[in-house]
Amino acid sequence: MISRPNPFVQSLPKEFNGVSHVDGVSDVSDVSPIIDEFSSVYVLECGPESPALVNATVPAGTCWPRVTVPGAGQIVLFGLHGGAGTTTLATIFGDDVIDAGQGWPVSADGNEVRVIAVARTHHLGLSVADDFTQFWGSGQLNESRLLGLILVDDAPRLVDSQQRAVKRLLKKTPLGAHVPWVENWRFGPPDPQQIPLRIRRIVNAFKNA
């Protein structure tokens, strides 16, 4: 992994300043900028569509692990660390996604894979998310198409430093999403029939990306 500064204190890179929130419902260009009631973090944010717009650098010889997945045209979720929340999100997304575990998904048949990276909002999750977005921005993950990053809350409330880190990271990929804490998910899997509106909008945004 890349050695990066503490994500809780790092300031917003200037290349991502001025990126507006997404603002509607049916697709990426039309998804309402819902703000979580327990923080000032937007549920959805837009960022650079391509690594070419970022032109980040990483230390020479750095690599990101890959994992081979079926090339069936489905969206693939992958965790940036253990316990990232991919299993929970796969339940919410339904049959349209594959949970690839950890590792950058690459198609077994050479077809383009649409990928969503997932991490928690604790220190490890934000640190690895920072590493990953930097690595993606360097253009070295070109075998598949990154749809964006989803950050899943690790506690009912985020402290100010977590909120700042989440806001910054959500703007570093084509589409960034923040899944707030859902208490019921501690006791059982999500009920697809009772998913909060803001999270349904996240799902719709990524499916239409």
Side-chain angles (χ1 to χ4, degrees), residues 15-16 19-23 27-31 44-55 104 112-115 132-133 136-139 141-142 144-149 169-176 205-206 208-209:
E15 61 265 29
F16 298 113
V19 180
S20 60
H21 325 291
V22 288
D23 50 10
D27 58 37
V28 175
S29 62
D30 189 31
V31 183
L44 283 162
E45 293 275 9
C46 281
E49 291 290 332
S50 165
L53 299 175
V54 182
N55 195 28
W104 176 250
E112 181 182 73
V113 176
R114 296 186 297 158
V115 177
F132 170 76
T133 55
W136 175 78
S138 73
L141 295 174
N142 54 15
S144 301
R145 176 189 167 204
L146 179 67
L147 298 182
L149 169 69
L169 289 169
L170 293 187
K171 296 177 182 179
K172 293 184 67 176
T173 64
L175 183 62
F206 277 100
N208 287 292

